[in-house]
Amino acid sequence: MFMLLFTLMVNGSHCTVWCVTGASLKVCPQGFSCCTVEMEDKLSQESHAEIKAPVYRLSTSLQSTFKQRHDHFDKFFRELLKNSEVSLHNMFLRTYGMMYMENAELFKDFFVSLTRYYTSGSSAVNLSSMLSDFWADLLERMFRLVNVQFEFSDTYMECVSRHTDQLQPFGDVPRKLRIQITRAFVAARTFVRGLSLMPDVVNKVSTVSASPSCVRAAMKMLYCPYCSGQVALKPCQNYCLNVMRGCLANQADLDTEWNNFLDAMLGLAERLEGPFNFESVMDPIDVKISEAIMNMQENSMQVSQKVFQGCGTPKPNAAYRSTRSVRETGFTGRFRPYSPEARPTTAAGTSLDRLTVEVKKKLKHAKKFWSTLPETVCAGERIAPGDECWNGTAKSRYQSDVIGNGLANQVSNPDVEVDITKPDVVIRSQIAVLKDMTSRLKAAHSGNDNEISFDTDEEPSGDGESGSGCDSPSCSGDDIYFSTPLIPVTPQANPVHRNTSVGVSSQGSMALALCGLALALLVPHLR
């Protein structure tokens, strides 16, 4: 009987064994061998770790990459929201002092709602309703200020608020801003959700346990050369590919939906760079609100007249007293236009364009990650090129063809027994998760948040035209038209103020002066 002294590394320890003939092995070729059945069991444990190690390393790197990208984008969007709020607050406070402070909660609530929508979506905030409420509330406050000579009941103001859209006191700014905010916020929060999903999917998929047949095949590929005394012999590349494609068959089936998901992420990234640019909306939002209030100032006389015609003449304010100082305080300032070149310091020390360029490179690099894992593992020093390699039974050329990726192709795998009728449950669930997220990304690409559809006007969300004045037909004439029934308001019988246009014609100069005073105290960004 031929015998050979041989040293093996098993579970981190050196084992000295005698290679003998006639060993009854379960995995490695029988005959001359340096292994026993017990040693095969220990080597199987080693092989399990050996095939998991490169997959774990590659997956961990991918998780880390997109965890960082998610954190960068999320921090950027949150800081940009906060910076916009602080910028508006500081400007209003510095310019208008106490008058702004008395109305500051309106703007604070506005940014709180935007932040809640960014973090929690439409389940927490109906964006369209929130924006409508904001403009209605702003109109109520402005309307009271420009008509201080009257008293307004809550019922009267409800009448005014219900017809904000028809009155268009702020011009076209609310409509355009609604489109821009909706598109930008839907795109931003959906993109961030996509980035947060990637590490979670990779983690779940990469931790799927190898099957017993995979472990046996890996042990045969990696350690049977040791048992034959050929310690330096490495597996043939095609042999390694068949083993790894069998072991990673379920993971490869993830690839189609993974690539669809990445394509949807790249498409939405293009939107973030262009018409749905979150930064271009939030940076000048204080200026856009200012422009809206300027429109209200310029149209206050017409708006008041139409409200009085439609809702009735309000009761004069008994406490109202005109003073010379009020009459002489006319507002003549103009708002500074927004200039992209004069943007404030960007959030998180970077810009959206820079973040998007970087993440697009990473997304493209991650495509076909799962289907190329076998090639990535079976490369470099792990395999031997040519015919001087281990083919599963001897040092020779590997004769079998390389089978395709995915579970269905494993029916003809010569080296790994794979039950193609039993797909992995974890991986199938992650395929469903990716499909759902891809659908959400495509909806965001169209400016939609799930089933909620918004205006589809193709308008950039940068500074663009924000509108001025009131250009609806209802602003051009003297008649007012409310399509829904008004709450009847009985005109107040007062011999001094019989005319329904009182305060508009007879006190026109006073109303204009008060309008100037009120708007001067509320509107930011004077030259």
Side-chain angles (χ1 to χ4, degrees):
M1 181 173 66
F2 181 78
M3 302 177 65
L4 176 67
L5 186 67
F6 182 61
T7 301
L8 271 179
M9 174 76 79
V10 180
N11 291 330
S13 302
H14 289 282
C15 296
T16 302
V17 297
W18 291 97
C19 296
V20 298
T21 58
S24 300
L25 302 180
K26 298 179 180 178
V27 179
C28 294
Q30 296 184 5
F32 176 81
S33 178
C34 302
C35 297
T36 63
V37 174
E38 290 77 14
M39 287 192 65
E40 273 192 330
D41 292 338
K42 293 180 180 179
L43 291 171
S44 292
Q45 297 175 15
E46 285 292 305
S47 64
H48 192 188
E50 283 285 338
I51 62 172
K52 286 190 68 175
V55 175
Y56 175 79
R57 184 172 62 253
L58 292 166
S59 299
T60 300
S61 175
L62 193 64
Q63 289 181 61
S64 176
T65 294
F66 287 101
K67 175 65 167 61
Q68 289 177 355
R69 293 299 173 274
H70 166 268
D71 292 346
H72 290 166
F73 271 89
D74 187 50
K75 181 180 180 182
F76 176 81
F77 289 140
R78 289 175 184 271
E79 285 194 13
L80 191 58
L81 272 165
K82 192 62 181 177
N83 288 353
S84 298
E85 180 181 4
V86 170
S87 177
L88 184 145
H89 173 80
N90 289 342
M91 175 62 74
F92 277 47
L93 182 62
R94 182 172 61 251
T95 308
Y96 311 112
M98 186 55 65
M99 181 64 77
Y100 162 68
M101 291 303 295
E102 291 175 353
N103 295 278
E105 79 281 357
L106 171 63
F107 302 98
K108 181 177 178 60
D109 291 345
F110 174 72
F111 282 101
V112 167
S113 295
L114 288 180
T115 303
R116 284 184 61 214
Y117 179 80
Y118 169 74
T119 57
S120 303
S122 55
S123 62
V125 176
N126 185 313
L127 200 56
S128 182
S129 296
M130 183 277 287
L131 291 171
S132 294
D133 291 344
F134 169 76
W135 292 112
D137 196 356
L138 184 59
L139 171 60
E140 179 178 337
R141 293 166 188 256
M142 296 298 300
F143 190 77
R144 289 181 184 275
L145 287 169
V146 300
N147 291 284
V148 293
Q149 68 271 37
F150 296 108
E151 291 182 3
F152 298 100
S153 66
D154 292 340
T155 301
Y156 193 97
M157 294 312 302
E158 287 176 6
C159 175
V160 177
S161 297
R162 280 199 309 273
H163 303 93
T164 303
D165 291 341
Q166 291 169 299
L167 292 168
Q168 286 194 300
F170 303 110
D172 204 28
V173 175
R175 185 190 69 85
K176 290 187 175 181
L177 198 57
R178 174 179 61 83
I179 295 170
Q180 295 164 359
I181 288 177
T182 298
R183 289 173 168 178
F185 272 75
V186 169
R189 73 177 306 272
T190 307
F191 191 78
V192 169
R193 287 176 67 193
L195 289 175
S196 70
L197 178 69
M198 293 181 71
D200 187 55
V201 170
V202 173
N203 178 59
K204 286 184 172 66
V205 173
S206 63
T207 54
V208 171
S209 298
S211 66
S213 60
C214 168
V215 174
R216 286 194 299 271
M219 185 265 172
K220 183 179 180 180
M221 178 179 71
L222 297 171
Y223 288 113
C224 283
Y226 287 36
C227 293
S228 64
Q230 303 177 86
V231 182
L233 189 60
K234 296 180 180 180
C236 303
Q237 184 176 35
N238 287 351
Y239 175 36
C240 178
L241 285 173
N242 275 346
V243 170
M244 294 309 298
R245 286 187 177 183
C247 288
L248 299 172
N250 279 286
Q251 284 86 340
D253 280 348
L254 188 78
D255 217 47
T256 298
E257 284 307 323
W258 175 261
N259 292 334
N260 290 340
F261 164 76
L262 292 176
D263 285 336
M265 287 288 288
L266 285 164
L268 193 54
E270 296 284 348
R271 291 292 209 184
L272 285 173
E273 286 181 314
F276 297 178
N277 192 302
F278 191 89
E279 191 173 15
S280 295
V281 172
M282 292 310 300
D283 268 355
I285 198 167
D286 50 356
V287 177
K288 293 182 179 183
I289 293 174
S290 299
E291 291 173 354
I293 300 176
M294 174 64 83
N295 291 337
M296 171 63 183
Q297 181 197 12
E298 293 176 348
N299 293 292
S300 61
M301 298 287 286
Q302 299 95 317
V303 170
S304 296
Q305 184 176 24
K306 291 177 181 179
V307 167
F308 295 159
Q309 291 174 352
C311 295
T313 307
K315 179 182 178 181
N317 186 350
Y320 169 74
R321 296 288 187 273
S322 62
T323 64
R324 179 179 178 81
S325 59
V326 171
R327 287 195 300 267
E328 292 176 351
T329 309
F331 177 72
T332 58
R334 303 296 298 178
F335 300 107
R336 66 173 177 85
Y338 170 69
S339 171
E341 293 77 19
R343 285 183 179 179
T345 303
T346 53
T350 186
S351 68
L352 183 58
D353 291 343
R354 187 179 305 163
L355 287 174
T356 306
V357 168
E358 291 173 354
V359 80
K360 283 169 63 179
K361 292 178 182 178
K362 301 297 182 183
L363 289 168
K364 291 175 182 177
H365 184 70
K367 294 191 71 174
K368 298 184 178 180
F369 175 80
W370 303 105
S371 61
T372 58
L373 268 179
E375 283 83 357
T376 307
V377 173
C378 299
E381 297 181 355
R382 296 190 186 94
I383 55 94
D387 298 338
E388 298 294 309
C389 55
W390 175 252
N391 66 4
T393 57
K395 181 181 180 181
S396 182
R397 183 178 182 180
Y398 183 73
Q399 299 291 340
S400 300
D401 294 331
V402 178
I403 52 94
N405 280 300
L407 201 59
N409 287 314
Q410 304 314 307
V411 68
S412 58
N413 193 315
D415 299 295
V416 187
E417 294 180 9
V418 182
D419 188 349
I420 65 172
T421 66
K422 295 181 179 179
D424 187 86
V425 175
V426 172
I427 290 176
R428 296 296 147 176
S429 69
Q430 293 309 299
I431 289 174
V433 167
L434 287 172
K435 281 184 177 179
D436 178 69
M437 193 65 223
T438 300
S439 176
R440 294 176 183 273
L441 289 164
K442 289 180 178 180
H445 186 274
S446 301
N448 301 331
D449 187 5
N450 298 331
E451 292 81 26
I452 302 174
S453 298
F454 299 95
D455 200 321
T456 57
D457 291 355
E458 288 299 324
E459 291 180 314
S461 61
D463 53 24
E465 288 184 73
S466 57
S468 61
C470 177
D471 19 55
S472 77
S474 63
C475 294
S476 59
D478 295 330
D479 297 329
I480 188 168
Y481 171 70
F482 289 154
S483 59
T484 55
L486 299 174
I487 295 179
V489 179
T490 305
Q492 301 296 318
N494 189 307
V496 180
H497 302 290
R498 284 186 176 275
N499 195 322
T500 57
S501 62
V502 64
V504 177
S505 56
S506 62
Q507 297 189 25
S509 60
M510 180 61 68
L512 184 59
L514 289 170
C515 173
L517 172 62
L519 271 293
L521 293 170
L522 280 178
V523 184
H525 307 301
L526 304 181
R527 285 191 181 275

